[in-house]
Amino acid sequence: MKITLYGAAGDVTGSAYYVQTDSGSILVDFGVFQGGKEAELRNRKLPPIDVQRLDSVVLTHAHLDHTGRLPLLVKSGYRNPVYATPATIEVSALILYDSAKVKKLDVERVNRKMSRAGRAHVQPLYSSDDVDAVLKLFTPIPYNEPVAVAPGMSIRALEAGHILGSASIELTVVENAKKKVVVFSGDLGPLGMAILKDPAPLRFADLVFLESTYGDRDHRSLKDTLIEGETVIRQAVNEKGKILVPSFAVGRTQQLLYYLAAAFHKGNFPHFPVYLDSPMAIEATKIYMKHVELYDEEALELSRSGELITDLSHVNISTTPEESKALNDVEGPCMIIAGSGMCNAGRILHHLRHNLWLPETSVIIVGYQAEGTLGRQLVDGAKKVRIFGETITVKAQIHLLGGLSAHAGQSDLLRWFDVMAPSNPKVVLSHGEDRGRKPLSELISLRYGIAAVLPEYGDVIER
Ligand SMILES: [Zn+2]
């Protein structure tokens, strides 16, 4: 068996594992590279996969860096199943259509420039028609049950606790009458995250691909994070300002709503309106609310008793652009949750333009802010920023709330691996930059005497 890494090897985007045996081949994930022009160029060139002979694709979860190159695969003639859990299928459809829409708008803007310069137009990476074609191939799989995915290959999906529907994939390969087990951790969530169950441990593997995004550190504890969040919100409410929360539509927003519900439920928390100003987050929240079978015990209890809905009665949704615009005239205190999570696009930009110059405004940053984004500038304490070509003075208070990551920190990664370690698997650390994977590999070597492989793009792992 040969497994080639066509992404997430030394970085955290573009997850793609190409598994080939004598009798068949599959892909586990086929995500896009993200982060600037270079990533776009990498996405346009398909890796050397024999699409005609590819038996199936298996997805760990719906994030674009795990699903975003599927439309390209279909464009190049792929027509076999794409296996994923039902929730992953629903969330993937939402994310892929949104991505196609963003690409269309981007290309239209670029092509207006091209027209003015008398140059040829560019084509988007894929369109919503290509996403339609991907959706036709989606085939739901249950958690915890074996599913045949290619001759001599079967998989089992196990809870990964990262976003709704996320799974680790246990692949069993029978080759030359020998059985081998390969585990793909997928993105693993932290233990104790709200709503979702904790990642399921696996006891045995001959080979494991372990994500290493935060292999170098632990997050701030959830408890401390929530206490800090409450303090910031109380202060902002006292000052009667707007609380702006740039948030990712899938996962982070639902976690936030859940913690807000818990705070309101305690009774001594000030009441203020919350506006969910993101059509995509609204859709994602509907999918989250539908899949109660994926909830942990606490969330299930709150959902069954109806408390979750009661405690979220302050949440208003803004679906249309007009509803979003109307929020400019709403008086504080109130909270506006809007995308994008890194403030580089989306409705949050309008709210920032209208409110950053006001000292009573609070901005609560709840996620990772990549280099070069507006979110990063705010976190770094910029006094002036540019939004829609306008210079805006930053008088608002910017708060960075750590601890709400959807990724396991170092200790949780090791806890997950610890259960499997006695089976002495070959370890490949994927989905991590050197900063994350090197310290993790040192710890794995120290504790278990296993020398982990730190792959590069195109590296082949044999077993
Ligand atoms: Zn992910």
Coordinates of all heavy atoms in Angstrom, one line a residue, residues 242-279:
K242 N -21.8 48.7 21.1 CA -22.1 47.5 20.3 C -20.9 46.5 20.5 O -19.8 46.9 20.6 CB -22.2 47.8 18.8 CG -23.5 48.4 18.5 CD -23.7 48.6 17.0 CE -25.1 49.2 16.7 NZ -25.1 49.9 15.4
I243 N -21.2 45.3 20.6 CA -20.2 44.2 20.8 C -20.2 43.5 19.4 O -21.1 42.9 19.1 CB -20.6 43.2 21.9 CG1 -20.9 44.0 23.2 CG2 -19.5 42.2 22.1 CD1 -21.6 43.1 24.3
L244 N -19.1 43.7 18.7 CA -19.0 43.0 17.4 C -18.1 41.8 17.5 O -17.0 41.8 18.1 CB -18.3 44.0 16.4 CG -18.9 45.4 16.3 CD1 -18.2 46.2 15.2 CD2 -20.4 45.2 15.9
V245 N -18.7 40.7 17.0 CA -17.9 39.4 17.1 C -17.8 38.8 15.7 O -18.7 38.3 15.1 CB -18.7 38.4 18.0 CG1 -17.8 37.1 18.2 CG2 -19.1 39.0 19.3
P246 N -16.6 39.0 15.1 CA -16.3 38.3 13.8 C -16.2 36.8 14.1 O -15.5 36.4 14.9 CB -14.9 38.9 13.4 CG -14.5 39.9 14.4 CD -15.4 39.7 15.6
S247 N -17.0 36.1 13.3 CA -17.0 34.6 13.7 C -17.2 33.8 12.4 O -17.9 34.1 11.5 CB -18.2 34.3 14.6 OG -18.2 33.0 14.9
F248 N -16.5 32.6 12.4 CA -16.7 31.7 11.4 C -18.1 31.1 11.5 O -18.6 30.8 12.6 CB -15.7 30.5 11.5 CG -14.3 31.0 11.3 CD1 -13.5 31.3 12.4 CD2 -13.8 31.3 10.1 CE1 -12.2 31.8 12.2 CE2 -12.5 31.8 9.9 CZ -11.7 32.1 11.0
A249 N -18.8 30.9 10.3 CA -20.2 30.6 10.3 C -20.5 29.2 10.8 O -21.5 28.9 11.4 CB -20.7 30.7 8.8
V250 N -19.6 28.3 10.6 CA -19.8 26.9 10.9 C -18.9 26.5 12.1 O -17.7 26.6 12.1 CB -19.5 25.9 9.7 CG1 -19.7 24.5 10.2 CG2 -20.3 26.3 8.5
G251 N -19.6 26.1 13.2 CA -18.8 25.6 14.4 C -18.7 26.7 15.4 O -19.3 26.7 16.5
R252 N -17.9 27.7 15.1 CA -17.6 28.7 16.1 C -18.8 29.5 16.5 O -19.1 29.7 17.7 CB -16.5 29.7 15.6 CG -15.9 30.6 16.6 CD -15.1 29.8 17.6 NE -14.2 28.9 16.9 CZ -13.0 29.1 16.5 NH1 -12.5 30.3 16.7 NH2 -12.2 28.2 15.9
T253 N -19.6 29.9 15.5 CA -20.9 30.6 15.8 C -21.8 29.8 16.7 O -22.4 30.3 17.7 CB -21.6 31.0 14.5 OG1 -20.7 31.9 13.8 CG2 -22.9 31.7 14.8
Q254 N -21.9 28.5 16.5 CA -22.8 27.7 17.3 C -22.3 27.5 18.7 O -23.1 27.5 19.6 CB -23.1 26.3 16.6 CG -23.9 26.4 15.3 CD -23.1 27.0 14.1 OE1 -21.9 26.8 14.0 NE2 -23.7 27.8 13.3
Q255 N -21.0 27.4 18.8 CA -20.4 27.3 20.1 C -20.7 28.6 20.9 O -21.1 28.6 22.1 CB -18.8 27.2 20.0 CG -18.4 26.0 19.3 CD -18.4 24.7 20.1 OE1 -18.2 24.7 21.3 NE2 -18.7 23.6 19.4
L256 N -20.5 29.7 20.2 CA -20.7 31.0 20.9 C -22.2 31.2 21.4 O -22.4 31.6 22.5 CB -20.5 32.2 19.9 CG -19.1 32.7 19.7 CD1 -19.0 33.7 18.6 CD2 -18.6 33.3 21.0
L257 N -23.1 30.8 20.5 CA -24.5 30.9 20.9 C -24.8 30.0 22.1 O -25.6 30.3 23.0 CB -25.4 30.4 19.7 CG -25.4 31.4 18.5 CD1 -26.2 30.8 17.3 CD2 -26.0 32.8 18.9
Y258 N -24.2 28.8 22.1 CA -24.4 27.9 23.2 C -23.9 28.5 24.5 O -24.6 28.4 25.5 CB -23.6 26.6 22.9 CG -23.9 25.5 23.8 CD1 -25.0 24.6 23.6 CD2 -23.1 25.3 24.9 CE1 -25.2 23.5 24.5 CE2 -23.4 24.2 25.8 CZ -24.4 23.3 25.6 OH -24.7 22.3 26.4
Y259 N -22.7 29.1 24.5 CA -22.1 29.7 25.7 C -23.0 30.9 26.1 O -23.1 31.1 27.3 CB -20.7 30.1 25.5 CG -19.7 28.9 25.3 CD1 -18.9 28.8 24.2 CD2 -19.8 27.8 26.2 CE1 -18.1 27.7 24.0 CE2 -18.9 26.7 26.0 CZ -18.1 26.7 24.9 OH -17.3 25.6 24.7
L260 N -23.5 31.6 25.1 CA -24.3 32.8 25.5 C -25.6 32.3 26.2 O -26.0 32.8 27.2 CB -24.7 33.5 24.2 CG -23.7 34.6 23.7 CD1 -24.1 35.1 22.4 CD2 -23.5 35.7 24.7
A261 N -26.2 31.2 25.6 CA -27.4 30.6 26.2 C -27.1 30.2 27.7 O -27.9 30.5 28.6 CB -27.8 29.4 25.4
A262 N -26.0 29.6 27.9 CA -25.6 29.2 29.2 C -25.5 30.4 30.2 O -25.9 30.4 31.3 CB -24.3 28.4 29.2
A263 N -24.9 31.5 29.7 CA -24.7 32.7 30.5 C -26.1 33.3 30.8 O -26.3 33.7 31.9 CB -23.8 33.7 29.8
F264 N -26.9 33.4 29.8 CA -28.3 34.0 30.0 C -29.0 33.1 31.0 O -29.8 33.6 31.8 CB -29.1 34.1 28.7 CG -28.6 35.2 27.8 CD1 -28.4 34.9 26.4 CD2 -28.4 36.4 28.3 CE1 -28.0 35.9 25.6 CE2 -28.0 37.5 27.4 CZ -27.8 37.2 26.1
H265 N -28.8 31.8 30.9 CA -29.6 30.9 31.8 C -29.3 31.0 33.2 O -30.1 30.8 34.1 CB -29.3 29.4 31.3 CG -30.1 28.4 32.0 ND1 -31.5 28.3 31.7 CD2 -29.9 27.5 33.0 CE1 -32.0 27.4 32.4 NE2 -31.1 26.9 33.3
K266 N -28.0 31.4 33.5 CA -27.6 31.6 34.9 C -28.5 32.7 35.6 O -28.6 32.7 36.8 CB -26.2 32.0 35.0 CG -25.3 30.8 34.8 CD -23.8 31.0 35.3 CE -23.2 32.2 34.6 NZ -21.8 32.3 34.8
G267 N -29.0 33.6 34.8 CA -30.0 34.6 35.4 C -29.4 35.9 35.8 O -30.0 36.9 35.7
N268 N -28.1 35.9 36.2 CA -27.5 37.2 36.7 C -26.8 37.9 35.6 O -26.0 38.8 35.8 CB -26.6 36.9 37.9 CG -25.5 36.0 37.6 OD1 -25.4 35.5 36.5 ND2 -24.5 35.9 38.5
F269 N -26.9 37.4 34.4 CA -26.2 38.0 33.2 C -27.1 39.0 32.6 O -28.3 38.8 32.5 CB -25.9 36.9 32.2 CG -24.8 37.2 31.3 CD1 -23.5 37.6 31.7 CD2 -25.0 37.2 29.9 CE1 -22.5 37.9 30.8 CE2 -24.0 37.5 29.0 CZ -22.8 37.8 29.5
P270 N -26.6 40.2 32.3 CA -27.4 41.3 31.7 C -28.1 40.8 30.4 O -27.5 40.1 29.6 CB -26.5 42.4 31.4 CG -25.1 41.8 31.4 CD -25.2 40.6 32.3
H271 N -29.3 41.2 30.2 CA -30.0 40.8 28.9 C -29.7 41.9 27.9 O -29.9 43.1 28.2 CB -31.5 40.7 29.2 CG -31.8 39.3 29.7 ND1 -33.1 38.9 29.9 CD2 -31.0 38.3 30.1 CE1 -33.0 37.6 30.4 NE2 -31.8 37.3 30.6
F272 N -29.4 41.5 26.7 CA -29.2 42.4 25.6 C -29.5 41.6 24.3 O -29.3 40.4 24.3 CB -27.7 42.9 25.6 CG -26.7 41.8 25.6 CD1 -26.2 41.3 24.4 CD2 -26.2 41.4 26.8 CE1 -25.3 40.3 24.4 CE2 -25.2 40.3 26.8 CZ -24.8 39.8 25.6
P273 N -29.9 42.3 23.3 CA -30.2 41.6 22.0 C -28.9 41.1 21.3 O -27.9 41.8 21.4 CB -30.9 42.6 21.2 CG -30.7 43.9 21.8 CD -30.2 43.8 23.2
V274 N -29.0 39.9 20.8 CA -27.9 39.4 20.0 C -28.4 39.2 18.5 O -29.5 38.7 18.3 CB -27.5 38.0 20.5 CG1 -26.4 37.3 19.6 CG2 -27.1 38.0 21.9
Y275 N -27.6 39.8 17.6 CA -28.0 39.7 16.2 C -27.0 38.7 15.5 O -25.8 38.9 15.5 CB -28.0 41.1 15.5 CG -29.0 42.0 16.1 CD1 -28.6 42.9 17.1 CD2 -30.3 42.0 15.7 CE1 -29.5 43.8 17.7 CE2 -31.2 42.8 16.3 CZ -30.8 43.7 17.3 OH -31.7 44.6 17.9
L276 N -27.6 37.7 14.9 CA -26.8 36.8 14.1 C -26.9 37.3 12.6 O -28.0 37.1 12.0 CB -27.4 35.4 14.2 CG -26.6 34.2 13.6 CD1 -25.1 34.3 14.0 CD2 -27.2 32.9 13.9
D277 N -25.9 38.0 12.2 CA -26.0 38.7 10.9 C -25.2 38.0 9.8 O -24.1 38.5 9.3 CB -25.5 40.1 11.1 CG -25.7 41.0 9.8 OD1 -26.6 40.6 9.0 OD2 -24.9 41.9 9.6
S278 N -25.6 36.8 9.5 CA -24.8 36.0 8.5 C -25.8 34.9 8.0 O -26.1 33.9 8.7 CB -23.6 35.4 9.2 OG -23.2 34.2 8.5
P279 N -26.2 35.0 6.7 CA -27.1 33.9 6.2 C -26.5 32.5 6.3 O -27.1 31.6 6.6 CB -27.2 34.3 4.7 CG -26.9 35.8 4.7 CD -25.9 36.1 5.8

